[in-house]
Amino acid sequence: QSAPTQPASVSGTRGQSITISCTGTRSDVGTYNYLSWYQHHPGKAPKLVIYGVNNRPSGISNRFSGSKSGNTASLAISGLQAEDEADYYCTSRTTANTVVFGGGTKLTVL
Amino acid sequence: QVQLVQSGSELKEPGASVKVSCEASGYTFTTYSINWVRQAPGQGLEWMGYINPGARNPTYAQGFTGRFVFSVDTSINTAFLQISSLKAEDTAIFYCARDTSWGVYDSWGQGTLVTVSS
C-alpha cells in the first residue's frame, strides 16, 4: 500500500489562502470518505483538523476546509496565520481495511 | 476529558526490547481502537496498525509484523507497543491515538521517543 501523494512543501503569505492536495488511488482516497487531515507542529502531537472529507472537529477554525474529487482530496486554509505553519498529513481508509497516511506537506507562512 | 498519556523516552541498545505504554482516561477504553503511528527522524507519519481493546485483536501494517506487538491491559486502561530485536532504524517517535472511525484520530498521546544506539 503506497502512501497518497502530497506536495512536499507549500507556502503562502499571511492572510492568503492555500490548498494542499492528497492524491491516492481507487484503493483508498477514491473509494472512501474516511478522509482526514492532521496538523503537526514538530515536537507536539498531531491535531485533527478535518475528518470525513469536509467536517471540522469542535474548536477548529472555519478557515480550514476540505474537499474531494475522485482520487484527490484537498485541504484549504484561508486567511493564513503564523500559527498555521506546520506539517499537514492526510489519512484514508484503504480497501485492505487499513489506514494510510499521505507523505506530508510542510506549510510555510511567509 | 479524553486523554492518552504515554511512557517516557527510552534509550536502548541494538538487540534489546522496549515496551511503550499508552494510558487512556476520560472514556470507556474498550469502545475505540488504539492505533500506533511512527515518525522516524526527518520522516513523515506512518501508520503501524491498531488494536481493539475489547476484542484484543491486533492488526499490523506491512512492515510492522514480527518484531512489533500490540497489547492491552483493560484493568488499567492501557495499551502497549512492544518492539523486540531493536535496530538503529527503529529510532523514532511513537504515538498512540484513539480512532473513532477509520483514521479519525481525535486524541493522541504525547509521543514516546525510542532511541536505539550502542
Side-chain angles (χ1 to χ4, degrees):
Chain A
Q1 183 74 46
S2 54
T5 301
Q6 298 183 226
S9 63
V10 169
S11 64
T13 56
R14 294 189 192 193
Q16 192 179 20
S17 298
I18 62 95
T19 300
I20 298 172
S21 61
C22 167
T23 301
T25 68
R26 285 182 295 178
S27 295
D28 41 61
V29 177
T31 292
Y32 297 107
N33 285 333
Y34 292 104
L35 195 293
S36 301
W37 289 91
Y38 294 86
Q39 177 189 66
H40 189 203
H41 290 105
K44 299 184 69 177
K47 181 179 182 181
L48 178 68
V49 295
I50 292 288
Y51 68 94
V53 176
N54 56 9
N55 299 285
R56 282 187 310 276
S58 174
I60 298 300
S61 169
N62 60 9
R63 298 186 299 105
F64 291 84
S65 62
S67 63
K68 193 186 85 165
S69 177
N71 295 337
T72 298
S74 298
L75 172 70
I77 309 174
S78 62
L80 274 178
Q81 300 179 1
E83 57 264 35
D84 298 333
E85 183 162 297
D87 297 321
Y88 289 84
Y89 297 87
C90 62
T91 65
S92 175
R93 179 183 180 179
T94 78
T95 53
N97 284 335
T98 62
V99 173
V100 63
F101 277 88
T105 298
K106 180 177 180 61
L107 170 61
T108 301
V109 180
L110 304 170
Chain B
Q1 73 282 19
V2 175
Q3 196 171 10
L4 299 178
V5 178
Q6 297 183 224
S7 48
S9 298
E10 300 268 10
L11 174 60
K12 296 290 184 180
E13 293 190 347
S17 296
V18 68
K19 194 169 188 178
V20 176
S21 67
C22 170
E23 181 180 3
S25 61
Y27 73 101
T28 302
F29 182 54
T30 53
T31 302
Y32 301 104
S33 71
I34 293 291
N35 285 229
W36 290 94
V37 177
R38 180 176 76 176
Q39 185 173 37
Q43 302 299 308
L45 301 177
E46 186 175 14
W47 187 74
M48 299 175 65
Y50 68 91
I51 185 166
N52 183 322
R56 300 172 183 262
N57 55 334
T59 294
Y60 301 96
Q62 286 182 9
F64 295 101
T65 56
R67 297 189 300 116
F68 299 82
V69 177
F70 307 147
S71 62
V72 296
D73 184 339
T74 54
S75 70
I76 55 172
N77 294 340
T78 300
F80 300 94
L81 162 65
Q82 184 163 359
I83 311 171
S84 59
S85 303
L86 283 164
K87 308 172 185 179
E89 51 264 41
D90 291 323
T91 295
I93 298 173
F94 294 88
Y95 294 97
C96 63
R98 185 180 85 154
D99 186 359
T100 59
S101 180
W102 287 112
V104 182
Y105 304 132
D106 66 341
S107 184
W108 293 69
Q110 79 276 22
T112 296
L113 172 62
V114 174
T115 303
V116 184
S117 174
S118 54

